[in-house]
Amino acid sequence: MLEKITNTFGGIVKKLSGKSTITEKNIEETVEEIKMALLEADVNLRVVRRFVNSTIEEAKGEKVLKAVNPGQQFTKIIYDKMVAMLGDTKQDLHLKGPDTQSVILMLGLQGAGKTTAAHKLAARLLKEGRKPLLVACDLVRPAAVEQLSQLGQKIGVPVYKENNKDAVKNAKDSISFARKNGCDTVIIDTAGRLQIDEEMMAELVKIKKATDPCEVLLVADAMTGQNAVDIAKSFDEQLGLTGVILTKFDSDARGGAALSLKTITGKPILFIGTGEKTEDFEIFHPERIASRILGMGDVVSLVEKAQETVDEEAALKLQKKLQRNEFTLQDMLEQFQQVKKMGNMQSIMDMIPGMSGMDASQMDFSSLKKNEAIIQSMTYKERLNHLIIGPSRRKRIAKGSGTSVAEVNKLIKQFEKTKLMMKKVSRNKGMQGKMMSQMGIDPSALASGGMPGMGGLPGGMDMSALKGMDMKKLQELAKRFR
């Protein structure tokens, strides 16, 4: 998502950073580009006007025109306005203590992804130490109850359901069930419609009154653009929303919903769905999304994602192997699998400075799957010692992986080059710093644990090395990027 607007804003930032002086004409031309980019992204007209007017007003001040580096100063103004438009700072759920039931009411139209979002939220809360209960109150959509039951079973969260057609009674009874079974967070999945109607709203109002939720969350589809804003306003008027979960954030949507919701409704975006897997559910950080839109990447989120998926013990083990020059094809295979765990390649690229806004589909990531298949067709002994893989073995491996001998040869050559590079990097601190600088990362922001290896990954980055980064220093570094 946001690829088009990211490309436009990234180009604007590059243009500005190269200017030693900024004139009123520069400002007007740049703001016109920004206005067109926002309108093309389907951002609400009122939001665009407010953004443009406040940017011009601040940018034309004497302080900017006389600044030491006006280009950077103007970029900072655009960044600050973008953050304000997205919601200033991240907002947390306001849940009660573990001794009292906290009720979260999930609302939204049919097809927005309420049921999936409910189980993702439950999985996140479970990881944070809470004891959630999922409640099946969508008695309209066929198989909705069964879907929630399966998703709850998948993540180890109980699901409350009754064999009746009274959603209000189900919701009310679930509170007693939660109390008896020690569940401190009740997540109610409600029915949706293809469009807002009086019957649906009346049922939701009754459920809210019966359960007294501390959070009333709208699940909105990012692909609906400005319609998501209108839907949010309708739900808010009758039910009083406390926040929004924006689904399908990984889609090719233009971004109008994300960029308009907070300004128009006053309700914060709390979470975004970035894929189909349970773990594809992120806290919405306005400053980080603004950084991605401006093409600055989001190293902090990248590190957090790596720290969630990478095994620390395995990362330290790999680091020692790199230092001893003992990296094997088995290690390379594990690196491929680590990258897959972190989510889709587009979302990873958007977080890397300099790669934000690039289209992953235009890059050759198919070779990752091919190389994984080749290594998996090798015996464990061959993976540990590639030197024993002679012509006959290469022919067998090619046949087993559905590739050619030439592709097997290419992988082994790539591995040998990678291993040689890693040997040099692991022993050369200066080269480590240079490589990190090329990625747009200040080497001083890394913990002293060592430099990422190449691992045969796109961009030359070993994700396991992110495990050792000092988050406090990284946060400070991220602020300096902006």
Side-chain angles (χ1 to χ4, degrees):
M1 186 175 170
L2 305 173
E3 285 90 355
K4 192 170 182 181
I5 193 169
T6 296
N7 288 333
T8 304
F9 271 90
I12 290 168
V13 169
K14 282 179 186 174
K15 212 186 295 180
L16 287 173
S17 61
K19 292 185 182 293
S20 57
T21 58
I22 296 288
T23 65
E24 288 197 12
K25 188 182 177 184
N26 292 147
I27 291 169
E28 286 167 4
E29 288 173 353
T30 303
V31 168
E32 188 61 30
E33 282 185 65
I34 291 170
K35 183 169 78 174
M36 293 308 298
L38 292 174
L39 289 172
E40 285 175 10
D42 197 26
V43 178
N44 184 280
L45 186 58
R46 236 171 74 201
V47 177
V48 175
R49 282 175 180 161
R50 194 178 299 181
F51 184 93
V52 166
N53 292 338
S54 62
T55 302
I56 290 174
E57 186 181 341
E58 193 167 335
K60 285 187 176 180
E62 288 295 315
K63 187 180 175 184
V64 173
L65 295 176
K66 292 180 180 179
V68 177
N69 192 325
Q72 289 182 0
Q73 185 75 6
F74 191 23
T75 300
K76 179 70 165 62
I77 290 170
I78 296 170
Y79 168 77
D80 288 341
K81 298 298 175 188
M82 185 71 70
V83 172
M85 182 166 65
L86 289 164
D88 289 318
T89 57
K90 83 172 179 72
Q91 301 289 318
D92 298 317
L93 290 170
H94 296 94
L95 303 179
K96 299 173 185 176
D99 298 330
T100 313
Q101 276 67 43
S102 298
V103 179
I104 301 173
L105 191 58
M106 307 285 280
L107 315 172
L109 295 186
Q110 193 169 308
K114 278 192 310 301
T115 305
T116 305
H119 108 276
K120 287 181 178 181
L121 180 57
R124 174 173 280 276
L125 293 174
L126 186 67
K127 198 181 285 186
E128 291 173 1
R130 297 191 72 93
K131 296 176 181 176
L133 170 71
L134 286 164
V135 182
C137 285
D138 183 354
L139 308 177
V140 176
R141 181 169 63 88
V145 175
E146 183 58 32
Q147 182 191 3
L148 191 66
S149 297
Q150 289 182 8
L151 290 171
Q153 186 177 10
K154 177 184 170 186
I155 60 174
V157 170
V159 177
Y160 182 81
K161 54 186 178 181
E162 289 185 11
N163 293 321
N164 62 51
K165 292 294 179 183
D166 190 341
V168 180
K169 184 179 183 301
N170 285 5
K172 192 175 181 179
D173 291 348
S174 71
I175 308 299
S176 302
F177 179 87
R179 196 174 292 116
K180 288 175 187 173
N181 290 273
C183 299
D184 56 24
T185 312
V186 180
I187 302 171
I188 302 175
D189 179 31
T190 62
R193 301 284 193 282
L194 293 175
Q195 58 187 18
I196 295 170
D197 62 36
E198 288 182 16
E199 185 185 349
M200 176 187 70
M201 281 296 183
E203 181 179 271
L204 294 175
V205 168
K206 288 177 185 175
I207 290 174
K208 184 184 177 184
K209 191 175 179 181
T211 58
D212 188 26
C214 54
E215 291 284 358
V216 181
L217 305 182
L218 174 71
V219 180
D221 184 343
M223 294 184 74
T224 58
Q226 285 192 53
N227 284 342
V229 180
D230 297 330
I231 292 163
K233 283 170 68 179
S234 298
F235 273 100
D236 186 42
E237 284 166 7
Q238 299 195 50
L239 290 148
L241 299 178
T242 58
V244 178
I245 295 174
L246 206 54
T247 61
K248 304 177 189 175
F249 204 77
D250 58 322
S251 67
D252 59 357
R254 290 175 290 174
L259 295 166
S260 305
L261 266 166
K262 180 64 170 68
T263 304
I264 298 298
T265 66
K267 307 302 174 185
I269 300 172
L270 301 178
F271 301 97
I272 50 175
T274 57
E276 295 177 7
K277 296 177 184 175
T278 302
E279 58 271 20
D280 295 335
F281 192 69
E282 299 176 14
I283 294 171
F284 186 80
H285 292 267
E287 70 282 2
R288 298 187 193 180
I289 299 297
S291 186
R292 289 192 213 180
I293 289 172
L294 295 181
M296 299 172 184
D298 182 4
V299 180
V300 178
S301 291
L302 180 63
V303 173
E304 284 178 353
K305 193 176 266 286
Q307 289 178 335
E308 286 174 10
T309 56
V310 176
D311 179 74
E312 192 166 359
E313 193 178 325
L316 289 170
K317 187 179 173 185
L318 177 63
Q319 188 178 308
K320 286 176 183 175
K321 279 191 168 189
L322 298 180
Q323 291 168 348
R324 295 196 300 261
N325 194 30
E326 294 176 357
F327 187 73
T328 66
L329 282 163
Q330 177 63 29
D331 297 318
M332 181 180 262
L333 176 63
E334 288 168 7
Q335 291 299 293
F336 292 151
Q337 291 167 344
Q338 258 180 30
V339 174
K340 281 166 68 178
K341 269 194 219 174
M342 287 183 67
N344 69 69
M345 194 56 66
Q346 184 66 63
S347 66
I348 293 173
M349 283 175 58
D350 287 345
M351 293 178 194
I352 300 173
M355 296 185 80
S356 182
M358 291 175 64
D359 185 358
S361 65
Q362 293 177 2
M363 301 183 72
D364 184 21
F365 291 117
S366 59
S367 61
L368 276 178
K369 290 182 180 177
K370 194 183 290 180
N371 288 345
E372 187 180 0
I374 290 171
I375 298 174
Q376 286 175 330
S377 295
M378 297 176 185
T379 65
Y380 189 67
K381 191 175 178 182
E382 288 167 343
R383 294 179 203 173
L384 296 181
N385 182 9
H386 70 286
L387 297 174
I388 66 171
I389 306 175
S392 60
R393 288 177 185 252
R394 294 184 189 212
K395 192 175 179 181
R396 189 205 79 239
I397 292 164
K399 190 175 181 182
S401 59
T403 59
S404 64
V405 173
E407 286 171 318
V408 175
N409 292 339
K410 185 181 176 182
L411 171 67
I412 292 172
K413 280 182 184 176
Q414 180 191 337
F415 168 75
E416 288 173 339
K417 283 181 183 177
T418 298
K419 191 172 180 181
L420 183 63
M421 173 67 77
M422 285 161 56
K423 182 181 177 182
K424 289 177 182 177
V425 169
S426 64
R427 295 179 182 179
N428 190 326
K429 297 266 182 195
M431 189 181 289
Q432 292 176 16
K434 188 178 178 183
M435 287 183 69
M436 294 309 289
S437 297
Q438 285 174 351
M439 287 181 61
I441 301 173
D442 183 349
S444 66
L446 296 180
S448 57
M451 168 66 196
M454 298 297 285
L457 304 179
M461 191 171 188
D462 169 16
M463 296 301 175
S464 68
L466 297 175
K467 192 79 181 175
M469 285 191 177
D470 185 324
M471 288 301 294
K472 191 174 178 182
K473 287 183 180 178
L474 199 59
Q475 292 278 3
E476 290 168 5
L477 172 67
K479 286 178 184 175
R480 291 209 300 275
F481 275 151
R482 297 160 194 149

